[in-house]
Amino acid sequence: MMKSESILLPRKYKSREPSFGKAISFICLLWSLFQLWLASDFPFYLSEITKLNLVFNSQEARQIHLAFGLGLGLLAYPAINKINPILDKFSQFFLAALAVSACIYLYIYKLDISNRAGLPTSIDVFFSITGMICIGIAVYRSLGLPLLIVASLFIFYVMFGHLDFFPESMKWKGASLNKASWHFWMQTEGVFGVALGVSTSMIFLFVLFGALLEKSGAGNYFIKLSFATLGHLRGGPAKAAVVASGLSGIYSGSSIANVVTTGTFTIPLMKKTGFSSEKAGAIEVASSTNGQLTPPVMGAAAFLISEFTDVSYFDLIKYAALPALASYVALFYIVHLEVIKLGLKGLKRNTPARSFLNKFTSFIFGFTALGSIGFIINFLFSWTNNFSSTFTFLLAISLFLILYLFCIWIASKKPDLEIGLTDKELNNLPSVKSVAATGYHYLLPIVVLLWCVLISRLSPSLSAYWASLSIIFVLLTQNPLKTFFRYKKLTFDPFKQGALDLIEGLQKGARSMITISIATGIAGVIIGTVSLTGAHQFIGEFVETVSSGSLVLMLVLVAFMSLILGMGLPTTANYIVVSSLMAPVIVMVGAQNGLIVPLVAVHLFVFYFGILADDTPPVGLAAFAAAAISKGDPIKTGIQGFSYDIRTAILPFMFIFNTDILLFNIGFISGLLTIITVVLAMLAFCSAIQNHMIVKNKIYETILLVVISFSLFRPDFWLDKIQEPFHKIQGNQIFELIKDNNNILNLNKNNTVRVEFVGPDFDNPDKLVSQNSIIIFDKNEPVNKRIEKAGLFLNVNDNDIIMDEPFPGTALFQEMKTFDFYADKPVILKTIYINKNDRLPKEIFFIPSILVFILIYLNQHRRRNKHNRTQNEKK
């Protein structure tokens, strides 16, 4: 949590002016340089030259990363209750030293620790307990009480889960102090687990990139460009806030940071044009919250989702893109409807209006030109890479320098942008062309990042590294080059200013990472508890019991619990907590009830609802931040913001049942059709909840709009009512199905079948549970190979097909952990479901839905014209 944010948060979340200001700034600088060093190839080259070990493995990097984060956290966030200035400073320094020692101890004695794995000495236990206490204090000071309470409850459960205090279904054998301390601190199952590893290797570099981009002036550029483009429209400042927050979401790791940076300009302007304090704050809250859903950073949680679901970062960006786009289009539309209802106007702009045809032609020309340039560059890179990767690298640098110099030359022809909107600009908005020309060079580092991720398919950390180097180059050179191109005398001042901006950007990036590193560290405690105790099992049973087997009710309950768990937590900790507890619940309970969805869809579901907690009263931190700027009521702001975010809340439910919304395994044409229909569905839903399209809705129009939205989101729902989706076959016929290639299996073009297993529950062998799984058969393999590759270990017993326990590493090993294979009753393959490929295309239901949508639009258009004619006649 940055200092700039703290003044806008509730008192218990505020950080005070640190006592060790200069020391903190210097350590932050070292931390950023260390992370850049870690991501580069220099340690390897220098190790070869000097014959010294300058390369850190993953575990060592995590230990040093957390040492920086904890040390800075305990120095930068002093105790909330002051006692004595000297004593306070001493306690800060003492705690920071202890925390760093606990981390560095693991690095220094790594060989000794590995040799006594699982058998901690008294010194090991001392440093483990010290580290856990220090991280608990750091969490309380920097992130507040909620996360500390959650983590403490998990630790208590690990230590005392055997007590009669817990219900029978929750009990477990408990862990000794030695076992718990080793599990949480001395190995990679706790604090130094996957979450901290992702923070070390990927999140830091992306947050650093965002901080450097902001320091270069890109943040102010995006805000001004948004206002220049949209400010003249009705309610222009509100629409500009939506776009500016969306652009900030590309590099920002915090919804609160989004509110603070963009809201400082947008909220007062929204109030000036006629919005109430609460609505102005709510629009900014909804915009900033949705910024965390926007790829490629997604509030720094994208990398965690990729790691936990074993989905490539490139694929994750593709899956998350359409929901984020639909959500922002819908928010823009909601703002437009609010503007219409309030009868607001936009800011003045004296530049002549361009016709729609002119705008459309310019857009098509620009899109085509950029696409052609990208295609040519990609072709050049592919061609040169066949000869020499070094030559490709030099070509990439040369192209970057040429484009950068050209963009800087264009920017030098215009005066530099002032921070914020001046009175002159408010009275007469600048033209889009003049504002855009000042900052084309800010787009190049973003292009580098996206090119490396999407085109070159480099790893996220390497992509962020090259993007960070490019923005560092911009920071150091933009002022001197502008001075040179403006034919002014080149002095040392522009170089000095660039160096100072770079240092401040490096420091700001590290400061922003303090809370993230602490959050991912303490979140490892939660993940470690779940892996050690299987805590998600009884939560799943609780959800299953309360939902009474209803899939929709189960998802609603999980969504509600995700909102509760996410209150008061930063994005990364928020996601880790809710995904560790709630994602396994959806997978487990859903599979038992026939719902099989990709794991990435499940994690995105809980991620969305965890993020929405940022504007959910009574602990919606983003709402508090916005209310501090708007001078409105924070609770009312949060309620209004959440009402705007209802359109976002329906998306996870839709893509759980219809993974096409995530563009999951669909072709180009189908993907294009999905994009169009999802956007239309969101617009229809927004018109329904706002009770307005062109004019106020009739009751029947609102009902029809809800049905249209649902039909466009889930056309398969209506198709399943007309035609059965599966051929249902008894499990004992599975061998007959796979023996002959000319059988019903050929009706399924993907060679996949859904199978239902029934058997004793692992935790309660007397209880029979069912689970559905997807099996893939390779038709080109012999029968035995098909069964083996599918992960099936089958035996025939009378008329039943018995499933033996899968071996570790086989296809069904993880999924089948629900069953007890050594109970009295066996696990049986009960039913086989094969998709019907001769059904009607589900897209057929798009036709009546879109036709009715058009009819409602035309009907409201007629009513508005009639109303206008009546008003004119009265005049």
Side-chain angles (χ1 to χ4, degrees):
M1 196 178 300
M2 294 174 292
K3 181 186 170 187
S4 59
E5 294 176 38
S6 64
I7 59 171
L8 302 174
L9 299 181
R11 183 178 183 275
K12 62 180 179 178
Y13 292 110
K14 290 184 180 180
S15 69
R16 309 242 174 104
E17 184 65 28
S19 304
F20 305 92
K22 292 183 178 179
I24 290 171
S25 297
F26 179 71
I27 297 171
C28 284
L29 180 61
L30 286 181
W31 193 10
S32 291
L33 293 175
F34 169 75
Q35 292 290 158
L36 288 171
W37 165 275
L38 202 63
S40 69
D41 289 331
F42 294 120
F44 297 94
Y45 293 142
L46 292 179
S47 295
E48 292 178 3
I49 296 172
T50 61
K51 304 303 180 184
L52 297 174
N53 183 20
L54 301 173
V55 181
F56 301 94
N57 62 37
S58 174
Q59 186 63 8
E60 294 166 352
R62 295 177 195 184
Q63 293 158 1
I64 299 174
H65 178 83
L66 188 62
F68 273 112
L70 272 183
L72 286 168
L74 292 167
L75 288 176
Y77 293 87
I80 290 177
N81 296 317
K82 299 282 188 177
I83 300 174
N84 177 278
I86 297 177
L87 186 61
D88 291 335
K89 287 185 178 180
F90 175 77
S91 65
Q92 279 179 258
F93 179 79
F94 180 71
L95 284 172
L98 278 179
V100 172
S101 299
C103 295
I104 298 301
Y105 170 78
L106 300 177
Y107 174 73
I108 295 175
Y109 295 99
K110 55 181 182 276
L111 294 178
D112 293 339
I113 292 172
S114 64
N115 289 332
R116 58 173 182 269
L119 299 171
T121 63
S122 56
I123 297 177
D124 292 340
V125 175
F126 169 77
F127 277 110
S128 298
I129 295 174
T130 299
M132 294 294 290
I133 292 173
C134 287
I135 198 171
I137 295 171
V139 166
Y140 176 61
R141 292 182 178 183
S142 62
L143 297 168
L145 195 56
L147 184 56
L148 178 62
I149 292 175
V150 171
S152 300
L153 289 175
F154 277 86
I155 294 173
F156 181 83
Y157 178 61
V158 167
M159 299 289 294
F160 306 106
H162 60 286
L163 299 179
D164 293 336
F165 173 84
F166 292 97
E168 195 63 34
S169 60
M170 289 182 63
K171 281 186 179 180
W172 87 294
K173 62 182 180 180
S176 65
L177 180 62
N178 282 8
K179 182 177 180 180
S181 62
W182 185 275
H183 183 77
F184 285 130
W185 193 261
M186 304 297 292
Q187 60 177 8
T188 58
E189 295 294 323
V191 172
F192 298 96
V194 174
L196 188 66
V198 175
S199 173
T200 306
S201 61
M202 288 181 272
I203 295 177
F204 192 104
L205 290 173
F206 276 85
V207 171
L208 179 62
F209 172 72
L212 293 170
L213 195 64
E214 180 74 29
K215 191 61 187 176
S216 70
N220 184 55
Y221 171 73
F222 289 145
I223 292 172
K224 288 215 166 187
L225 186 60
S226 300
F227 272 92
T229 306
L230 305 169
H232 66 289
L233 301 176
R234 299 176 68 177
K239 294 173 180 176
V242 174
V243 174
S245 293
L247 293 172
S248 297
I250 292 175
Y251 58 84
S252 173
S254 166
S255 54
I256 300 170
N258 265 5
V259 170
V260 173
T261 52
T262 59
T264 304
F265 304 112
T266 58
I267 291 176
L269 285 174
M270 282 190 270
K271 291 177 64 177
K272 188 175 180 180
T273 54
F275 282 96
S276 66
S277 297
E278 285 74 22
K279 284 194 173 182
I283 290 170
E284 183 57 49
V285 167
S287 304
S288 299
T289 302
N290 279 218
Q292 304 305 286
L293 310 176
T294 308
V297 177
M298 296 169 66
F303 320 104
L304 291 165
I305 299 174
S306 175
E307 191 74 22
F308 291 158
T309 60
D310 199 26
V311 169
S312 72
Y313 180 64
F314 171 81
D315 287 336
L316 178 64
I317 290 175
K318 183 182 73 172
Y319 299 152
L322 179 54
L325 172 66
S327 186
Y328 264 109
V329 169
L331 180 58
F332 193 90
Y333 181 60
I334 285 177
V335 169
H336 178 69
L337 295 179
E338 288 280 19
V339 167
I340 292 175
K341 289 189 283 187
L342 294 172
L344 304 182
K345 297 181 179 179
L347 302 175
K348 292 181 180 179
R349 187 170 76 179
N350 294 333
T351 52
R354 299 167 63 197
S355 66
F356 174 78
L357 181 61
N358 188 295
K359 293 178 182 177
F360 182 75
T361 305
S362 298
F363 172 78
I364 294 297
F365 175 78
F367 183 81
T368 305
L370 288 174
S372 300
I373 293 171
F375 177 80
I376 293 170
I377 292 174
N378 190 41
F379 175 77
L380 286 173
F381 285 171
S382 302
W383 180 67
T384 56
N385 203 45
N386 292 329
F387 302 100
S388 171
S389 58
T390 303
F391 186 72
T392 304
F393 176 72
L394 294 174
L395 177 64
I397 291 178
S398 302
L399 286 172
F400 176 84
L401 290 175
I402 292 169
L403 290 172
Y404 175 65
L405 290 173
F406 179 68
C407 292
I408 284 288
W409 176 75
I410 293 175
S412 68
K413 304 302 178 184
K414 303 286 183 181
D416 292 338
L417 295 176
E418 296 184 43
I419 303 297
L421 291 169
T422 64
D423 293 336
K424 181 181 178 181
E425 289 172 332
L426 291 176
N427 295 326
N428 182 15
L429 285 172
S431 68
V432 178
K433 187 177 180 180
S434 63
V435 175
T438 63
Y440 288 131
H441 57 287
Y442 295 133
L443 302 178
L444 289 178
I446 298 175
V447 171
V448 170
L449 174 63
L450 297 178
W451 186 281
C452 290
V453 171
L454 303 178
I455 307 299
S456 298
R457 302 292 184 93
L458 299 181
S459 67
S461 57
L462 196 56
S463 300
Y465 171 71
W466 288 116
S468 297
L469 289 188
S470 64
I471 192 61
I472 287 173
F473 180 76
V474 170
L475 272 166
L476 291 173
T477 60
Q478 62 176 343
N479 291 327
L481 286 173
K482 284 181 183 178
T483 302
F484 174 77
F485 284 129
R486 286 167 180 166
Y487 300 105
K488 293 182 180 180
K489 183 180 179 181
L490 195 59
T491 63
F492 181 69
D493 290 340
F495 293 96
K496 180 181 177 182
Q497 185 60 48
L500 291 175
D501 288 342
L502 172 59
I503 292 172
E504 289 179 18
L506 292 171
Q507 292 171 345
K508 183 180 178 182
R511 285 178 183 272
S512 300
M513 273 301 301
I514 293 174
T515 53
I516 295 177
S517 63
I518 294 172
T520 50
I522 198 67
V525 171
I526 297 169
I527 298 172
T529 299
V530 172
S531 67
L532 183 64
T533 66
H536 65 281
Q537 295 282 350
F538 66 78
I539 295 176
E541 289 182 4
F542 169 76
V543 171
E544 185 181 20
T545 302
V546 174
S547 62
S548 302
S550 170
L551 292 178
V552 174
L553 188 57
M554 181 265 290
L555 290 172
V556 170
L557 187 60
V558 170
F560 179 75
M561 294 175 74
S562 297
L563 285 173
I564 299 299
L565 288 169
M567 286 184 180
L569 303 183
T571 303
T572 44
N574 181 328
Y575 163 70
I576 293 169
V577 171
V578 298
S579 66
S580 300
L581 293 175
M582 297 292 102
V585 172
I586 298 177
V587 174
M588 180 174 64
V589 179
Q592 292 174 5
N593 290 275
L595 176 66
I596 299 177
V597 290
L599 187 59
V600 65
V602 174
H603 277 255
L604 285 173
F605 181 93
V606 296
F607 172 66
Y608 265 58
F609 282 102
I611 293 301
L612 290 178
D614 277 349
D615 61 10
T616 306
V619 200
L621 299 187
F624 275 92
I629 299 173
S630 68
K631 310 301 181 187
D633 183 278
I635 302 299
K636 290 181 180 179
T637 300
I639 293 172
Q640 185 68 57
F642 190 76
S643 72
Y644 291 150
D645 270 339
I646 289 175
R647 93 238 175 261
T648 303
I650 69 164
L651 273 171
F653 286 96
M654 294 302 106
F655 63 60
I656 281 288
F657 290 101
N658 180 15
T659 55
D660 285 357
I661 296 173
L662 299 177
L663 303 179
F664 194 85
N665 293 337
I666 61 175
F668 176 78
I669 301 299
S670 298
L672 190 61
L673 182 61
T674 301
I675 291 171
I676 295 170
T677 52
V678 166
V679 171
L680 286 176
M682 287 297 286
L683 297 181
F685 183 77
C686 292
S687 294
I689 62 174
Q690 290 292 311
N691 198 30
H692 201 100
M693 186 186 287
I694 297 176
V695 294
K696 187 176 180 180
N697 294 345
K698 302 286 187 181
I699 294 177
Y700 71 87
E701 289 176 331
T702 298
I703 295 172
L704 283 174
L705 285 168
V706 172
V707 174
I708 289 168
S709 177
F710 180 77
S711 300
L712 292 173
F713 274 129
R714 284 209 58 203
D716 55 312
F717 176 83
W718 303 114
L719 183 59
D720 291 347
K721 297 295 181 183
I722 299 173
Q723 295 179 316
E724 283 289 331
F726 303 110
H727 297 283
K728 295 182 181 179
I729 304 168
Q730 292 297 316
N732 56 17
Q733 297 183 35
I734 186 167
F735 291 105
E736 297 176 16
L737 286 175
I738 59 179
K739 279 180 182 178
D740 186 5
N741 283 339
N742 298 315
N743 55 41
I744 200 170
L745 190 62
N746 283 334
L747 293 177
N748 184 359
K749 60 185 178 182
N750 296 322
N751 300 326
T752 61
V753 295
R754 179 193 295 251
V755 295
E756 179 188 11
F757 296 103
V758 176
D761 182 55
F762 182 82
D763 296 311
N764 184 8
D766 296 327
K767 175 185 174 184
L768 290 179
V769 294
S770 64
Q771 176 174 305
N772 287 256
S773 298
I774 297 293
I775 307 295
I776 302 175
F777 287 110
D778 187 348
K779 291 193 299 183
N780 297 319
E781 293 283 352
V783 174
N784 292 337
K785 284 290 184 180
R786 293 182 203 173
I787 297 174
E788 183 181 333
K789 281 194 172 182
L792 296 172
F793 298 88
L794 306 176
N795 292 306
V796 180
N797 183 13
D798 295 331
N799 290 326
D800 292 331
I801 300 296
I802 297 174
M803 175 72 177
D804 290 336
E805 183 177 17
F807 295 120
T810 56
L812 295 176
F813 175 70
Q814 291 294 333
E815 295 182 38
M816 301 297 283
K817 284 186 173 182
T818 308
F819 297 109
D820 185 350
F821 288 92
Y822 303 99
D824 294 335
K825 295 180 180 179
V827 178
I828 297 172
L829 174 60
K830 183 179 180 181
T831 312
I832 304 169
Y833 302 90
I834 301 179
N835 291 329
K836 288 184 176 180
N837 291 323
D838 54 350
R839 295 204 304 167
L840 291 170
K842 64 181 180 181
E843 289 79 9
I844 198 170
F845 293 96
F846 291 156
I847 298 172
S849 301
I850 294 174
L851 286 176
V852 175
F853 188 69
I854 293 172
L855 287 174
I856 293 174
Y857 175 84
L858 293 175
N859 189 39
Q860 292 205 7
H861 192 272
R862 180 188 58 79
R863 294 210 307 269
R864 186 185 66 178
N865 290 343
K866 183 179 178 180
H867 174 76
N868 291 340
R869 284 197 303 270
T870 303
Q871 293 297 320
N872 290 334
E873 288 172 2
K874 288 181 179 180
K875 292 181 180 178

